[in-house]
C-alpha cells in the first residue's frame, strides 16, 4: 500500500530515522531507529526555542519499531516530530507498529483538543495504510491524551480493531505492554513538575522578546517627558532596562518555576505576588523616591500578573471556564494598575521629591 | 504536588441515572476526577477537571457532559478579539482557535438536525454501495429517533438514485462508440463537442 511511499524520503528529516524495512503481506513498512541522533536532539532543542516549529513534521503512515511479528500492537501517534521522537526513543527494544496520524505537526494532546487527532483520522489512516492486512489482528493503542478527540468505542465499531488507551507518557509504554496492557496507578495522571513547567518557558521567552524590547523603548522615550526634557532621560535608561527585564524574567521564568508555592489558585494572583516582590526589590535596589517607587511597584504588579494569567495556556490543568472567570476580574484590574503606574511615573516629575 | 485550579468553576455534569458504571471515564481522565462507587461513576475531585472533554467523548451512554475548551488566556482573548491563536506552548492543550467547542455529547454538526443527517447518510450509503455504512447509519438513525418506515424510505430513495445512475450509465455506455467516433474528428472532446448530458472524457 502507500505506507512505503508515505515514508518516502522527500526530505532528510524523514529519511534520517529510517534504518530499514519490514516486509509484510500488505506492504513494505519502513523501520525506524529507536535511538535519537544528535540531529534529532538538536531539532528538539530548536523546537523548545521556537525555531521552525511549523516544519517539524513526520510523514503520516505506518512505521515499524524493532521486528514486529503477528499480533504486535499498533501504537498510534501524532506527526509532530518531537512527539514521534519521544515515542521511538522510549520504545527501546520493543517490537511494535507505529501508526502516525496527520495532525498537521501538532502534538497529541493539542491535536486531540482540536479534533485533528480524532476518531475520523484514526479510521481514515487505518484504511489508508491497509492495517487490516497486518498479521494477527493487532490492537490499536491510542495515547490517553488522545482521548479528547478519539472515542475508542467508535474506532472499534468503525475499523473492527480493538482499541485501548495506553499510558499518558511514552516512557510507560514498554511497562504497559509487558504488563499485559494493564495501566498501573500513576500512568494515567498528567503531572506538571518543575521540569515540565520549565520546558515551556523558552518558547514564551522567544515569543515575548520583541514585545518586551518595544515596551522598553517606549519607556526610554517616556523618560524624556517632563520639566527637564531629555536632559536627564539617559540617566534613567539603565534603571528602566533593569526594571523591564527583571519583570520579563520574573513573569516568564520565575512564576512558572515557583508556581505551586505562590499564593492562591488564580494565575493572575500568583503573578501579582511575584510582581509585588519584583517591584519591591526594584524599589529598594534603585533608591527611587515614594512616587516613582510606587509607580514601579504598580507596573510590576500589572506586568507579572498579566504574564501569570497568560501562563494558563502552558499548563496542564487549567479549564476554559476557570480562565474565563479569571480574565473577567483580573484583566480590568491589571489595566488599571498599569495605567495608574504609568501616570504616577510621569506625574512624579512635577511632584516635590518625586524623581531620583 | 497536585495542583488544582479555581474552585467550583468547571462545567462538568454527570447524570448518575444514565451512568452504567463502565469505568471508561476513569480510564481517560488525565486528572483522576472520577471514581467508581456502588457500580456507578462519581465525581470525586471536581476542581481537578480541566474540561478536556475526554470523558464525554468516550462515555458510551452519554452520561457525561462538559463544555470542552482550552484553558488558555491567550486563546480566549484572541477568540474574543476575533483572531485565531497559535499554540502558546508545547505541553498544553492550548491551540484551538475557537473559544470553546461543544462536546460530542451535544452531537456536533451544522445546521441540520441529527435525524436529517442520518437520513441523508442512509440514502448515500445505499447509493455508494457501502454495506457497513448503511448498517452503521441505520443504527445511528434509530438512536436519533427515526422510525423504521422513515429509514425504509431513505433506503428506497437511495436505491432510486442508484437505479437512475445505473440507467444513465447504460445510456452512456451505449453511446460510447458514437462519442468515440466524434472525438476522433475533434480530438479535444472537452471543448464544445461534448454532447449535452454526457460527461466529459477528461
Amino acid at each position: 500500500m502507500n505506507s512505503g511511499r508515505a515514508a518516502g524520503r522527500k526530505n532528510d528529516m524523514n529519511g534520517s530515522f529510517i534504518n530499514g524495512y519490514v516486509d509484510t503481506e500488505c506492504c513494505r513498512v519502513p523501520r525506524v531507529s529507536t535511538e535519537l541522533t544528535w540531529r534529532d536532539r538538536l531539532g528538539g532543542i530548536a523546537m523548545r526555542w521556537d525555531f521552525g516549529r511549523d516544519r517539524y513534521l513526520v510523514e503520516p503512515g505506518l512505521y515499524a519499531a524493532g521486528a514486529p511479528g503477528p499480533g504486535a500492537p499498533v501504537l498510534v501517534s501524532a506527526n509532530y516530530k518531537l512527539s514521534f521522537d519521544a515515542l521511538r526513543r522510549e520504545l527501546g527494544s520493543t517490537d511494535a507498529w507505529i501508526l502516525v496520524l496527520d495532525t498537521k505537526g501538532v502534538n497529541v494532546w493539542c491535536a486531540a483538543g482540536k479534533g485533528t487527532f480524532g476518531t475520523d483520522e484514526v479510521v481514515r489512516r487505518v484504511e489508508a495504510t491497509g492495517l487490516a492486512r497486518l498479521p494477527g489482528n493487532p490492537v490499536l493503542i491510542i495515547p490517553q491524551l488522545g482521548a479528547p478527540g478519539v472515542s475508542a468505542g467508535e474506532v472499534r465499531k468503525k475499523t473492527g480493531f480493538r482499541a485501548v488507551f495506553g499510558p499518558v507518557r511514552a516512557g510507560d509504554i514498554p511497562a504497559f505492554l509487558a504488563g499485559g496492557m494493564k495501566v498501573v496507578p500513576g500512568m494515567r495522571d498528567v503531572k506538571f513538575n518543575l521540569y515540565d513547567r520549565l520546558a515551556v518557558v523558552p518558547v514564551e521567552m522567544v515569543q515575548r522578546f520583541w514585545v518586551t524590547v518595544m515596551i522598553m523603548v517606549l519607556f526610554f522615550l517616556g523618560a524624556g517627558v517632563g520639566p527637564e526634557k531629555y536632559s536627564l532621560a539617559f540617566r534613567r535608561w539603565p534603571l528602566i532596562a533593569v526594571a523591564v527585564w527583571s519583570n520579563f524574567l520574573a513573569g516568564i521564568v520565575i512564576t512558572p518555576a515557583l508556581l505551586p508555592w505562590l499564593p492562591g489558585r488564580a494565575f493572575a494572583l500568583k503573578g501579582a505576588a511575584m510582581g509585588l516582590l519584583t517591584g519591591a526589590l526594584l524599589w529598594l535596589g534603585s533608591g527611587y523616591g515614594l512616587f516613582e517607587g510606587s509607580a514601579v511597584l504598580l507596573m510590576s504588579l500589572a506586568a507579572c500578573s498579566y504574564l501569570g494569567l497568560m501562563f494558563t495556556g502552558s499548563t496542564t490543568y487549567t479549564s476554559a471556564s476557570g480562565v474565563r472567570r479569571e480574565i473577567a476580574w483580573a484583566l480590568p484590574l491589571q489595566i488599571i494598575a498599569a495605567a495608574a503606574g504609568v501616570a504616577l511615573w510621569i506625574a512624579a516629575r512635577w511632584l516635590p521629591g518625586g524623581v531620583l | 504536588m497536585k495542583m488544582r485550579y479555581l474552585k467550583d468553576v468547571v462545567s462538568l455534569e454527570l447524570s448518575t441515572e444514565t451512568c452504567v458504571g463502565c469505568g471508561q471515564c476513569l480510564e481517560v481522565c488525565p486528572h483522576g476526577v472520577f471514581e467508581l462507587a456502588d457500580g456507578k461513576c462519581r465525581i470525586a475531585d471536581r476542581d481537578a477537571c480541566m474540561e478536556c472533554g475526554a470523558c464525554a467523548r468516550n462515555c458510551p451512554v452519554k452520561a457525561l457532559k462538559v463544555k470542552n475548551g482550552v484553558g488558555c488566556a491567550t486563546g480566549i482573548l484572541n477568540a474574543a478579539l476575533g483572531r485565531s491563536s497559535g499554540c502558546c506552548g508545547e505541553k498544553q492543550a492550548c491551540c484551538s482557535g475557537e473559544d470553546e467547542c461543544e462536546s460530542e455529547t451535544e452531537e456536533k454538526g451544522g445546521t441540520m438536525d441529527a435525524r436529517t443527517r442520518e437520513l441523508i447518510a442512509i440514502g448515500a450509503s445505499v447509493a455508494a454501495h457501502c454495506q457497513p455504512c448503511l448498517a452503521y447509519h441505520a443504527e445511528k438513525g434509530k438512536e436519533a429517533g427515526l422510525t423504521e418506515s422513515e429509514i425504509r424510505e431513505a433506503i428506497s430513495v437511495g436505491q432510486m438514485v442508484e437505479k437512475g445512475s445505473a440507467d444513465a450509465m447504460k445510456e452512456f455506455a451505449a453511446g460510447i462508440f458514437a462519442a468515440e467516433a466524434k472525438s476522433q474528428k475533434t480530438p479535444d472532446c472537452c471543448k464544445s463537442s461534448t454532447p449535452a448530458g454526457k460527461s466529459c472524457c477528461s
Side-chain angles (χ1 to χ4, degrees):
Chain A
M1 283 289 284
N2 62 358
S3 47
R5 179 162 37 102
R9 268 159 268 186
K10 263 191 259 162
N11 54 48
D12 269 334
M13 203 189 277
N14 259 331
S16 63
F17 54 75
I18 291 168
N19 66 1
Y21 290 90
V22 175
D23 285 306
T24 70
E25 274 172 55
C26 88
C27 42
R28 203 153 205 241
V29 181
R31 192 176 62 214
V32 300
S33 161
T34 54
E35 266 166 38
L36 300 192
T37 61
W38 62 270
R39 286 185 55 183
D40 296 326
R41 291 176 207 281
L42 213 61
I45 293 169
M47 285 311 100
R48 295 295 191 190
W49 288 93
D50 201 24
F51 290 114
R53 260 156 158 335
D54 303 340
R55 304 186 302 272
Y56 212 52
L57 318 174
V58 178
E59 284 279 337
L62 186 64
Y63 297 85
V74 178
L75 306 171
V76 182
S77 180
N79 79 327
Y80 181 37
K81 189 159 178 288
L82 205 57
S83 313
F84 182 72
D85 281 357
L87 175 61
R88 63 192 176 91
R89 182 191 62 217
E90 298 295 348
L91 283 179
S93 57
T94 309
D95 298 324
W97 304 105
I98 302 174
L99 183 69
V100 176
L101 304 187
D102 185 3
T103 60
K104 319 281 176 219
V106 173
N107 70 55
V108 173
W109 209 4
C110 283
K114 266 183 168 176
T116 43
F117 192 104
T119 308
D120 292 347
E121 171 61 14
V122 174
V123 173
R124 199 160 40 232
R125 204 52 59 187
V126 164
E127 279 163 13
T129 51
L131 218 57
R133 285 189 281 165
L134 282 180
N137 195 29
V139 180
L140 294 178
I141 297 179
I142 296 159
Q144 190 200 321
L145 293 185
V150 178
S151 156
E154 267 185 57
V155 169
R156 229 168 286 157
K157 237 192 261 173
K158 289 182 180 170
T159 64
F161 282 98
R162 200 153 77 83
V164 299
F165 285 109
V168 164
R169 279 166 297 273
D172 288 333
I173 287 176
F176 172 77
L177 293 175
M181 299 200 200
K182 284 259 157 36
V183 170
V184 297
M187 279 188 190
R188 282 276 175 248
D189 293 330
V190 168
K191 297 190 176 65
F192 199 45
N193 56 31
L194 184 65
Y195 175 82
D196 298 329
R197 295 197 300 275
L198 291 183
V200 293
V201 160
V203 168
E204 297 271 316
M205 285 172 74
V206 171
Q207 289 179 349
R208 302 208 185 276
F209 179 79
W210 287 111
V211 178
T212 312
V213 169
M214 269 164 52
I215 290 171
M216 183 176 68
V217 170
L218 284 178
F219 276 114
F220 282 175
L221 295 176
V225 177
E228 326 108 351
K229 301 261 179 341
Y230 278 86
S231 60
L232 290 177
F234 69 93
R235 278 178 40 194
R236 297 196 178 114
W237 287 0
L239 278 180
I240 288 172
V242 169
V244 168
W245 293 105
S246 302
N247 275 293
F248 178 85
L249 284 178
I252 297 177
V253 184
I254 304 178
T255 301
L258 299 182
L259 200 66
W261 300 283
L262 290 171
R265 286 187 177 194
F267 281 62
L269 207 61
K270 287 174 182 289
M274 196 68 232
L276 273 181
L277 186 69
T278 311
L281 287 175
L282 284 169
W283 189 349
L284 290 176
S286 64
Y288 281 134
L290 177 63
F291 298 113
E292 224 174 355
S294 353
V296 169
L297 198 66
L298 278 170
M299 286 188 279
S300 298
L301 185 75
C304 288
S305 176
Y306 176 79
L307 289 171
L309 184 57
M310 291 301 126
F311 190 65
T312 49
S314 302
T315 69
T316 56
Y317 70 99
T318 52
S319 62
S321 301
V323 172
R324 224 169 278 129
R325 179 193 281 178
E326 201 178 327
I327 287 176
W329 65 259
L331 199 61
L333 289 180
Q334 288 161 1
I335 293 170
I336 290 169
V342 172
L344 196 59
W345 180 60
I346 304 266
R349 291 159 210 178
W350 284 273
L351 296 168
V355 288
L356 195 61
Chain B
M1 183 187 308
K2 183 159 179 175
M3 282 178 278
R4 277 179 198 75
Y5 197 37
L6 308 185
K7 278 180 194 159
D8 290 328
V9 70
V10 293
S11 57
L12 181 65
E13 277 174 51
L14 165 70
S15 154
T16 315
E17 302 91 74
T18 323
C19 175
V20 291
C22 69
Q24 184 73 9
C25 48
L26 274 74
E27 206 172 295
V28 297
C29 178
H31 289 296
V33 168
F34 306 101
E35 64 181 22
L36 278 178
D38 307 325
K40 293 270 185 183
C41 158
R42 211 172 69 80
I43 298 176
D45 193 354
R46 166 174 285 275
D47 291 344
C49 173
M50 61 175 288
E51 300 182 325
C52 72
C55 54
R57 162 117 23 211
N58 279 280
C59 178
V61 290
K62 301 190 189 302
L64 282 157
K65 244 189 193 179
V66 61
K67 237 179 173 180
N68 60 324
V70 182
C72 167
T74 314
I76 289 169
L77 285 177
N78 277 335
L81 296 170
R83 283 187 308 212
S84 70
S85 78
C87 201
C88 17
E90 162 54 33
K91 286 223 170 165
Q92 83 295 41
C94 151
C95 38
S96 83
E98 314 99 277
D99 186 13
E100 64 192 48
C101 23
E102 286 298 314
S103 90
E104 272 288 287
T105 47
E106 306 291 6
E107 201 59 55
K108 72 160 191 261
T111 47
M112 270 187 259
D113 62 293
R115 297 173 73 250
T116 315
R117 267 207 314 278
E118 289 311 322
L119 282 173
I120 292 171
I122 289 165
S125 302
V126 171
H129 299 267
C130 176
Q131 287 155 3
C133 313
L134 180 58
Y136 174 77
H137 287 293
E139 195 187 315
K140 273 201 95 174
K142 269 185 223 158
E143 275 172 33
L146 291 176
T147 63
E148 203 179 305
S149 68
E150 281 172 315
I151 294 175
R152 273 181 206 284
E153 199 175 334
I155 290 174
S156 70
V157 170
Q159 283 165 340
M160 263 156 62
V161 173
E162 197 192 352
K163 187 172 173 297
S165 101
D167 290 348
M169 185 67 209
K170 233 185 251 169
E171 198 184 316
F172 177 77
I176 196 104
F177 292 111
E180 202 173 74
K182 260 189 190 170
S183 74
Q184 272 163 0
K185 277 176 234 151
T186 50
D188 193 357
C189 68
C190 288
K191 279 183 181 160
S192 55
S193 59
T194 314
K198 304 282 189 290
S199 90
C200 168
C201 48
S202 69

